[in-house]
Amino acid sequence: MANEQAKDSLIIFDTTLRDGEQSPGASMTRDEKVRIAKMLEKMGVDVIEAGFAIASQGDFESVKAVAEAVKTSRICSLARSATKDIERAGEALKPAALSRIHTFIATSPIHMDYKLRMKPDQVVSEAVRAVQTARNLTDDVEFSCEDASRSEFDFLCRIIEQVIAAGASTINLPDTVGYAEPQEYGRLIGRLMQAIPNADKAVFSVHCHNDLGLAVANSLAAVLEGARQVECTINGLGERAGNASLEEIVMAVRTRADVFPVETRIDATQIVPTSRLVSTVTGFPVQPNKAIVGANAFAHESGIHQDGVLKYRETYEIMRAEDVGWNTNKLVLGKHSGRAAFKARLTELGISFASDEAFNDAFTRFKDLADKKHEIFDEDLQALVSEVVPADSGEKYRFVGLESHSRTGQKPQAKLRIAVDGSEEFVEAEGDGPVDAAFKAVEQLANSGATLKLYSVNAITQGTDSQGEVTVRLEKDNVIVNGNGADTDIIVASVKAYLNALNLLASGIMRTHPQKEGV
């Protein structure tokens, strides 16, 4: 039977740490990138694009740190066709057990004419030279035709044939601006693979943006036509409307095995935990009706649906919630739990600490939380760890205590006790609401000059004793940071998040977030 035949492997290329980070405000610290990369490795992601090494010193250090930490996934750095870009990528990837340089140049007439200001012959020459340079630094080179979906077919055939001959083993055809439609895009991939003489010497890849909401559909259409690598992100994170969602690609291929002649090596039970980690780190909440990882993805409100599911699950569910990591994350620990059990569960979640001091701090926070909550969940632990400022940054501001007063008809007031460089200070302020009052009190003390770009509150788990997870996004001098705070008291969580963001700004470890080119 057809479904018993051996299936091709579909390579999952995750670019959450590179393209995903290009979402405005989604900048990550080096340590956060390493945490996410280790979860991607645990999930079984084939290729992890760790960053754009030439973009900044911070990006370089992040790519290098991920290359050092990850052993089983291939680590990739993006690079434009410029020699300095490629050499910088190669340097950052030196510690990697498995490495890839991903170089690109635009191939559409509009990009060549108005952005590159280069003739087609020049673009081909530049592409070949870039691949040859990269091939001297690693045994795995990927080449992308930026804006491929708006490029001329004959020119794509010409440039792809030559870069494969120059040593590119993966050819990526991005729908950079999300312009493609599934039928035409899939047909483009199939035609190219048929027309290019040496197409069998490379894996054809797709990288689709979601401007028209078609990123996943376009990617899957290309898979049906022969593409064997899909570039995607956790939660569909990415520039503008985002990228193809990893979880949707993986589960579509698995659920419709009768349609797709491929399989992945992804451990799907790690999808939900990884989704939550990325959401916590970036401050981008997952919408409740998001496929696979949204809170309502396996919820049934309709009585007819509920009745059907109770009688036979497959009547209204095409996947099991447990298969993607739902309902498997309850942590049965409490205030009497010891350090060994706490550390063991953190290890399972891919969380480690650079020092005993950092671990002891996290354990103390855990004990404090266990006094407030009867049940502790993995999401609580992710939030708890996300509050910690990396050890190499120091902690200028530390929350000590809060008194908040709010009464109808009166201005809300907040009185704070904050440790500044170890010395406790008292400050108070009024505001339009209790959170506003608390933030104004903090700013009286810090006088940071930062602009508040985002304030977001989400319940971490179910129940009235749930922690509120707050994300505060601050911008100062073209540096954007996300501060995280969690507590059963929303006002306290808000202050913790604001102080966390101020600590990141003060530390200088966050890289600037420049406009970056990409596929």
Side-chain angles (χ1 to χ4, degrees), residues 211-425:
D211 298 71
L212 293 175
L214 296 173
V216 170
N218 283 331
S219 299
L220 293 174
V223 169
L224 289 174
E225 292 288 345
R228 289 299 177 261
Q229 175 177 284
V230 173
E231 305 193 0
C232 43
T233 61
I234 299 297
N235 300 337
L237 198 65
E239 284 194 281
R240 305 185 312 277
N243 290 272
S245 165
L246 179 148
E247 55 273 12
E248 294 174 23
I249 295 291
V250 168
M251 294 312 295
V253 166
R254 177 170 302 189
T255 304
R256 295 307 310 272
D258 59 320
V259 173
F260 296 101
V262 294
E263 57 188 4
T264 75
R265 69 182 193 97
I266 296 295
D267 176 0
T269 63
Q270 299 303 315
I271 285 176
V272 169
T274 307
S275 166
R276 287 173 170 166
L277 173 60
V278 170
S279 178
T280 296
V281 166
T282 61
F284 282 57
V286 176
Q287 66 193 59
N289 62 327
K290 167 75 170 66
I292 315 299
V293 294
N296 293 347
F298 293 90
H300 299 276
E301 181 72 17
S302 164
I304 295 174
H305 285 210
Q306 291 172 346
D307 179 65
V309 169
L310 288 173
K311 290 176 178 174
Y312 189 65
R313 182 186 62 81
E314 284 81 357
T315 54
Y316 287 104
E317 286 189 357
I318 59 174
M319 297 169 283
R320 294 196 315 159
E322 295 85 353
D323 290 345
V324 296
W326 287 106
N327 302 324
T328 59
N329 59 347
K330 186 175 178 181
L331 174 61
V332 187
L333 290 180
K335 61 184 178 181
H336 300 297
S337 300
R339 294 172 186 273
F342 177 66
K343 188 172 185 178
R345 186 56 188 149
L346 290 180
T347 300
E348 289 180 20
L349 292 173
I351 299 171
S352 59
F353 297 94
S355 66
D356 290 339
E357 182 181 0
F359 172 77
N360 290 335
D361 177 56
F363 185 69
T364 300
R365 291 170 185 258
F366 166 72
K367 287 289 192 177
D368 290 341
L369 179 60
D371 283 333
K372 301 175 184 177
K373 287 195 67 181
H374 176 64
E375 293 181 317
I376 306 294
F377 295 84
D378 289 353
E379 301 97 313
D380 292 311
L381 292 185
Q382 296 282 16
L384 179 150
V385 173
S386 294
E387 289 182 38
V388 180
V389 177
D392 59 355
S393 69
E395 189 176 33
K396 183 176 179 65
Y397 303 102
R398 181 173 58 83
F399 174 80
V400 179
L402 163 71
E403 180 182 332
S404 180
H405 178 75
S406 182
R407 183 176 180 179
T408 303
Q410 295 183 1
K411 274 274 192 181
Q413 296 178 323
K415 299 179 181 180
L416 294 176
R417 192 161 77 250
I418 298 172
V420 183
D421 293 326
S423 177
E424 289 191 12
E425 304 277 355

Side-chain angles (χ1 to χ4, degrees), residues 107-316:
T107 55
S108 66
I110 190 170
H111 276 240
M112 289 191 289
D113 290 345
Y114 294 101
K115 185 181 77 171
L116 299 180
R117 300 189 184 279
M118 294 171 66
K119 299 295 184 183
D121 287 351
Q122 293 175 294
V123 172
V124 173
S125 178
E126 178 81 355
V128 169
R129 183 200 53 75
V131 169
Q132 290 172 337
T133 301
R135 191 64 182 80
N136 288 330
L137 299 174
T138 180
D139 62 351
D140 191 319
V141 176
E142 176 171 339
F143 176 77
S144 283
C145 303
E146 186 184 6
D147 205 24
S149 57
R150 295 193 297 175
S151 299
E152 295 177 346
F153 183 81
D154 289 345
F155 182 67
L156 284 176
C157 289
R158 177 186 170 196
I159 193 170
I160 291 171
E161 180 180 0
Q162 293 200 36
V163 295
I164 291 175
S169 53
T170 300
I171 299 299
N172 187 40
L173 295 150
D175 182 26
T176 303
V177 295
Y179 181 74
E181 176 273 330
Q183 188 174 17
E184 69 172 354
Y185 186 66
R187 188 164 55 239
L188 171 65
I189 305 304
R191 286 179 64 207
L192 287 170
M193 293 182 68
Q194 288 294 321
I196 298 169
N198 55 356
D200 62 323
K201 301 295 193 299
V203 172
F204 277 66
S205 169
V206 290
H207 178 121
C208 297
H209 281 264
N210 205 39
D211 298 71
L212 293 175
L214 296 173
V216 170
N218 283 331
S219 299
L220 293 174
V223 169
L224 289 174
E225 292 288 345
R228 289 299 177 261
Q229 175 177 284
V230 173
E231 305 193 0
C232 43
T233 61
I234 299 297
N235 300 337
L237 198 65
E239 284 194 281
R240 305 185 312 277
N243 290 272
S245 165
L246 179 148
E247 55 273 12
E248 294 174 23
I249 295 291
V250 168
M251 294 312 295
V253 166
R254 177 170 302 189
T255 304
R256 295 307 310 272
D258 59 320
V259 173
F260 296 101
V262 294
E263 57 188 4
T264 75
R265 69 182 193 97
I266 296 295
D267 176 0
T269 63
Q270 299 303 315
I271 285 176
V272 169
T274 307
S275 166
R276 287 173 170 166
L277 173 60
V278 170
S279 178
T280 296
V281 166
T282 61
F284 282 57
V286 176
Q287 66 193 59
N289 62 327
K290 167 75 170 66
I292 315 299
V293 294
N296 293 347
F298 293 90
H300 299 276
E301 181 72 17
S302 164
I304 295 174
H305 285 210
Q306 291 172 346
D307 179 65
V309 169
L310 288 173
K311 290 176 178 174
Y312 189 65
R313 182 186 62 81
E314 284 81 357
T315 54
Y316 287 104

